């Protein structure tokens, strides 16, 4: 049986330089975005369906993901490793986790640690948790493959990200006025599921919900959007906007007001989880299986059979 083709990511539409600029700005914020904290809370509720109790977990883009305390509550005995995309965010995570010298928690053997995404990951984690960051990744299949390698057999990944229904009202407004792309191309949850399978995950489960947020006026809306990141689409307007254009934007956004004049925008949030299944030997006349994979396969079927 031939391997399924890799999912097409050529239409991802994401400018990595714009993403990095956004991360630098978000690292200077007083706290993670409110929406990230709310989605982390909703995602943590889904941990109840997973019976496994991770001994080690990777919290991907942990400071912006705002799930550190929720994970500590769910898995108090687990070794938590926060994986950050930039040095500035690594410093934010370290500062958030810092304890006074007299605190007993400072000397706990499972005290959280922080590392950079570019570092070599610890192997054998039972959980990769990634809240509200995948939509800012230019190559999700490559990241899925990295997560799969970092996870132990039967470990699982749980993530959330923005989906294609996000800011549909704003995208329609920009298109109508010929202002270029308002957002990058968000990935459909079914395509994310296909990418998980191609990366070697099993039993992917994907679902989504649409959150409708409201603001009292255009200025409050724009401030909130800026706090969530930036427009990282390569098709965005390439130059600097003028005060006249901003005033035009404020008027157009004001026309979107419906409920007592409040402006509403949609945010589609996709959720997914999948397991790192035991390796399967390919069917052929001659099969070569690494000894480490064979041990993992036997251990998953009979945990006491291999030491």
């Amino acid at each position: 049986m031939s391997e399924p083709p890799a999912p097409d990511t050529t239409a991802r539409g994401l400018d990595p330089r714009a993403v990095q600029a956004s991360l630098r700005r978000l690292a200077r914020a007083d706290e993670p975005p409110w929406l990230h904290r709310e989605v982390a809370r909703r995602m943590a509720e889904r941990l109840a369906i997973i019976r496994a109790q991770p001994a080690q977990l990777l919290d991907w883009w942990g400071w912006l993901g705002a799930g550190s305390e929720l994970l500590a509550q769910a898995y108090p005995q687990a070794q938590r490793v926060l994986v950050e995309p930039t040095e500035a965010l690594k410093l934010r995570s370290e500062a958030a986790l810092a304890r006074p010298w007299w605190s007993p928690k400072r000397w706990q053997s499972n005290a959280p640690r922080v590392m950079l995404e570019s570092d070599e990951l610890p192997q054998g984690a039972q959980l990769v948790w990634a809240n509200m960051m995948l939509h800012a990744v230019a190559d999700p299949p490559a990241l899925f493959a990295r997560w799969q390698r970092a996870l132990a057999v039967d470990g699982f990944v749980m993530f959330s990200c923005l989906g294609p229904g996000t800011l549909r009202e704003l995208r329609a407004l920009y298109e109508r006025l010929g202002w270029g792309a308002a957002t990058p191309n968000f990935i459909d949850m079914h395509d994310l599921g296909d990418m998980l399978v191609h990366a070697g995950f099993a039993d992917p489960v994907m679902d989504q919900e649409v959150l409708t947020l409201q603001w009292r006026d255009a200025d409050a809306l724009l401030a909130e959007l800026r706090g969530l990141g930036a427009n990282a689409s390569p098709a965005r307007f390439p130059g600097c906007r003028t005060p006249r254009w901003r005033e035009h934007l404020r008027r157009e956004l004001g026309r979107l007001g419906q409920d007592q004049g409040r402006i509403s925008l949609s945010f589609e949030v996709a959720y997914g989880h999948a397991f790192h299944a035991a390796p399967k030997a390919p069917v052929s006349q001659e099969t070569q299986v690494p000894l480490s994979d064979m041990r993992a396969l036997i251990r998953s079927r009979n945990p006491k059979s291999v030491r």
Side-chain angles (χ1 to χ4, degrees):
M1 182 179 297
S2 61
E3 184 178 344
D8 181 17
T9 61
T10 57
R12 178 67 183 94
L14 200 67
D15 182 350
R17 293 174 300 178
V19 171
Q20 289 300 310
S22 177
L23 292 177
R24 288 193 296 270
R25 179 166 51 77
L26 291 175
R28 298 192 294 269
D30 294 333
E31 58 185 5
W34 171 87
L35 183 60
H36 291 200
R37 298 197 302 273
E38 174 60 22
V39 174
R41 183 189 65 78
R42 295 174 183 231
M43 193 162 78
E45 293 176 347
R46 298 163 183 257
L47 290 172
I49 67 175
I50 308 293
R51 290 183 295 176
Q53 290 291 309
Q56 182 185 72
L57 63 88
L58 304 180
D59 185 1
W60 214 268
W61 291 25
W63 190 79
L64 288 174
S68 185
E69 292 185 6
L70 296 168
L71 291 170
Q73 293 169 9
Y75 306 117
Q77 303 304 317
Q79 169 68 60
R80 290 183 290 126
V81 180
L82 284 77
V83 183
E84 298 294 359
T86 69
E87 185 66 38
L89 285 167
K90 179 174 180 288
L91 293 174
R92 291 307 305 265
S93 274
E94 289 172 340
L97 295 171
R99 305 285 185 181
W101 67 267
W102 44 262
S103 172
K105 292 184 178 181
R106 183 182 180 93
W107 313 108
Q108 287 179 342
S109 60
N110 68 336
R113 59 192 180 97
V114 187
M115 61 184 296
L116 284 172
E117 194 175 36
S118 57
D119 294 338
E120 184 176 352
L121 296 179
Q123 301 298 301
Q126 286 80 37
L127 167 61
V128 171
W129 165 282
N131 181 47
M132 292 291 281
M133 53 77 57
L134 196 59
H135 50 262
V137 174
D139 191 354
L143 183 59
F144 286 161
R146 193 177 185 202
W147 288 348
Q148 202 265 356
R149 292 192 298 270
L151 283 169
V153 172
D154 291 333
F156 65 103
V157 60
M158 181 170 283
F159 64 86
S160 62
C161 61
L162 296 177
T166 298
L167 297 176
R168 55 182 178 81
E169 302 89 349
L170 187 64
R171 293 204 312 270
L173 187 155
Y174 271 53
E175 182 177 358
R176 174 170 58 83
L177 296 173
W179 283 352
T183 71
N185 297 326
F186 299 112
I187 303 175
D188 182 80
M189 67 175 183
H190 300 99
D191 293 330
L192 289 171
D194 292 342
M195 294 175 191
L196 286 167
V197 172
H198 192 268
F201 285 96
D203 303 325
V205 176
M206 301 294 306
D207 68 309
Q208 60 86 25
E209 63 178 337
V210 176
L211 306 179
T212 301
L213 305 187
Q214 293 186 330
W215 294 267
R216 64 181 182 275
D217 55 39
D219 288 334
L221 182 157
L222 293 173
E224 180 94 24
L225 291 184
R226 183 169 175 79
L228 288 173
N231 181 4
S233 171
R236 67 189 184 279
F237 182 76
C240 296
R241 297 293 197 180
T242 65
R244 174 182 288 184
W245 175 86
R246 182 178 176 85
E247 184 59 31
H248 190 181
L249 172 62
R250 291 176 70 254
R251 290 196 304 271
E252 293 293 338
L253 289 173
R255 294 191 177 102
L256 297 178
Q258 296 178 354
D259 183 12
Q260 298 181 349
R262 298 178 69 86
I263 305 170
S264 300
L265 291 180
S266 303
F267 289 80
E268 178 184 329
V269 181
Y271 301 91
H273 71 261
F275 290 87
H276 179 174
K280 296 181 181 179
V283 179
S284 63
Q285 290 183 340
E286 180 179 350
T287 301
Q288 296 182 359
V289 181
L291 181 59
S292 60
D293 285 0
M294 182 60 72
R295 285 175 173 167
L297 179 61
I298 297 173
R299 187 181 296 112
S300 68
R301 294 178 177 177
N302 184 0
K304 298 181 179 179
S305 63
V306 178
R307 298 291 181 186

